[in-house]
Each structure stands twice: as structure tokens, then as C-alpha cells.
Amino acid sequence: PVPRRIEVTSYAEVVLAPQSLDAAHPAFSKLFVETEQVPGQRALVARRRPRSAGEKPLWLVHWLAREDLETCGDLETGAIEHETDRMRFIGRGRNVARPRALTERTPLSGTVGAVLDAIVSLRITLDLPPGARKTVCFGLGAAPTRETALEWAARYGRLRSIGPLFEPATEPSCARSIAHFSLPAAPDRYRPAGDATPPPRGSPISE
């Protein structure tokens, strides 16, 4: 056995709009999305600028959860890389099947702000001695306020706080995926991606 160095990279495209609106005018819809790196947290947030006074704000948060948070660094030190510009991640003339960020040995650029085509991507490098095991978890959620989004990232920033939410997924009726669950003390519902097999009624993550 030999030591291994592994890069783990997340990737999600940001919409923050009804699916019908994004499908009808995708380029126009993306012009209203802004991204931000959160100082002191291993998280990225994105918001959709309201187009009218009656439009409700919506915030997306993407974060990294580990148990050894004190030693794994953060976005500000560069120990955890980040990217929110799709063009910089994918590269010109490429696609998501062969993005520049995964085929060239260059760090993620750390671009944030009013990007033309927003994504959220985090990268961490893991050094594994022979026989060792490490676990990381990427969180993704949406909230009505920035404060609530960051509260979730802080609350579920450690693996021990995430594990209990998924315990019912080991039951046969939840073997494929979890449709949805309610975060404790959260005003909105977090919906993970995947196909919909609802958890058993009465479980900690059922409606």
C-alpha cells in the first residue's frame, strides 16, 4: 500500500428561479444571480436579485462538512478551493463531461460576484496514509434569508450533525433516495436531489 492524495470537487449549477422561467429564458434568468464567499466558513452563498418589489428573495448555500474542521483549513487560506463561474470551471469549447477544472492541474480560481453563469464548486485535497479512511460531505440548501442559509451551514458543518438525518435511509423503503425532510428549527424545506422515494411516516426526516 502507498499513500494517496485525492482531490474531491463538488459542482452544482445555480438557478434560483422557477423551472419554467429558466427553461424559457436561461441566459436572461442567470443575469440576476450573485455569488459570495463567506469569510470564516467553508461555504458559498448565492442569491437572486429581485426583479420586482413583490418578488421574494431566495438564497442558496453550499458548504463542506468534515469532522476535523479545525485542521482542514478554509476558503480564505486556500486549503479549500472554490469557484462560482461556470466558464472558468468548464473551459471554452468543453462541457461538463470533460471540464477544464478536472483535467488540468490548476487550482479553482476563487471567482465570486455577479458572474454571467453561476455555479457553486468546492474542492478539498485529502492525504490518505495506507489503510486510512476519511469522509467529507457537501451540503446544498436554499433559504429565504442569508442568515438562515449560513445558520444551516454552521449547524451541519460537522459530520456528526448530518448522520442522524439520514439514518432512516437504511430502511428498505428508503434504500434508493430520500424525497425530502425538514431541517430542525428551519422555516423552509431542504430538498436533496435524486428520485423521490419518501421516508417512512413518523421518521425524523418525514414530513
Side-chain angles (χ1 to χ4, degrees), residues 14-39:
V14 180
V15 177
L16 294 177
Q19 185 175 2
S20 58
L21 177 62
D22 181 63
H25 305 285
F28 179 73
S29 178
K30 293 170 183 176
L31 294 177
F32 294 88
V33 176
E34 293 182 346
T35 61
E36 174 190 351
Q37 171 218 330
V38 184

Side-chain angles (χ1 to χ4, degrees), residues 58-79:
L58 187 61
W59 291 80
L60 177 144
V61 59
H62 180 47
W63 72 95
L64 171 70
R66 283 186 64 179
E67 212 52 60
D68 55 341
L69 293 181
E70 290 77 11
T71 60
C72 72
D74 55 34
L75 274 65
E76 294 175 283
T77 63

Side-chain angles (χ1 to χ4, degrees), residues 11 40 49 67-68 105 111 119 133 140 156 160 171:
Y11 175 86
R49 300 193 305 275
E67 212 52 60
D68 55 341
R105 293 183 176 275
T111 301
I119 65 166
R133 175 183 298 180
L140 185 69
Y156 299 102
R160 71 184 72 173
E171 301 180 17

Side-chain angles (χ1 to χ4, degrees), residues 144-174:
T145 67
R146 183 179 185 275
E147 291 73 20
T148 302
L150 295 182
E151 178 188 346
W152 291 355
R155 181 179 301 178
Y156 299 102
R158 292 184 180 275
L159 295 176
R160 71 184 72 173
S161 63
I162 296 176
L165 297 174
F166 288 91
E167 286 177 357
T170 60
E171 301 180 17
S173 62
C174 297

